[in-house]
Amino acid sequence: QVQLVESGGGLVQAGGSLRLSCAASGSTSSINAMGWYRQAPGKQRELVASITSDDRINYADSVKGRFTISRDYAKNTVYLQMSSLKPEDTAVYFCNYKRLTYTWVDYWGQGTQVTVSS
């Protein structure tokens, strides 16, 4: 199993910045992806950004140019630097870990609230 611990959420004014962190532990694998999803009330969970173990990165169109995802492999930690935050970024942000062993398996953090005031 993989355990994910998230931190860094909070309340920020529009135009401000936050950095989210997610540390993975347990049965991690060398072939994997880590990323961030978010879910606002009444909406489906959506991918925000992801980064694979060979450093391929994907961003949602809505956050390109504002958010940056990165990994610290020594600490098994993924970060999401969020800048120029907008009220529509308000959501619960979930850390995600995809592990390849015999097949792809998803693991999820508990989520951290990000609120951007208008």
Side-chain angles (χ1 to χ4, degrees):
Q1 302 295 320
V2 175
Q3 294 80 45
L4 303 172
V5 179
E6 302 143 319
S7 63
L11 174 65
V12 66
Q13 296 283 331
S17 299
L18 286 172
R19 187 175 73 162
L20 306 183
S21 300
C22 175
S25 62
S27 300
T28 58
S29 68
S30 59
I31 303 175
N32 62 77
M34 295 188 74
W36 294 92
Y37 290 69
R38 66 186 181 188
Q39 187 167 23
K43 297 183 179 180
Q44 288 195 312
R45 189 172 298 185
E46 64 174 348
L47 174 68
V48 178
S50 64
I51 181 168
T52 66
S53 49
D54 60 348
D55 288 331
R56 293 178 60 86
I57 295 173
N58 289 315
Y59 293 103
D61 288 342
S62 60
V63 307
K64 286 181 179 177
R66 299 188 297 120
F67 292 9
T68 302
I69 190 169
S70 61
R71 291 181 70 157
D72 183 335
Y73 288 96
K75 296 182 179 294
N76 240 349
T77 299
V78 65
Y79 304 94
L80 185 68
Q81 178 66 50
M82 304 185 294
S83 300
S84 301
L85 283 162
K86 304 175 181 179
E88 52 263 42
D89 295 318
T90 295
V92 178
Y93 284 69
F94 296 91
C95 183
N96 171 261
Y97 187 98
K98 297 183 184 292
R99 184 187 71 184
L100 179 62
T101 52
Y102 300 105
T103 187
W104 288 103
V105 178
D106 277 295
Y107 299 90
W108 297 92
Q110 290 296 307
T112 184
Q113 177 70 46
V114 172
T115 302
V116 184
S117 61
S118 60

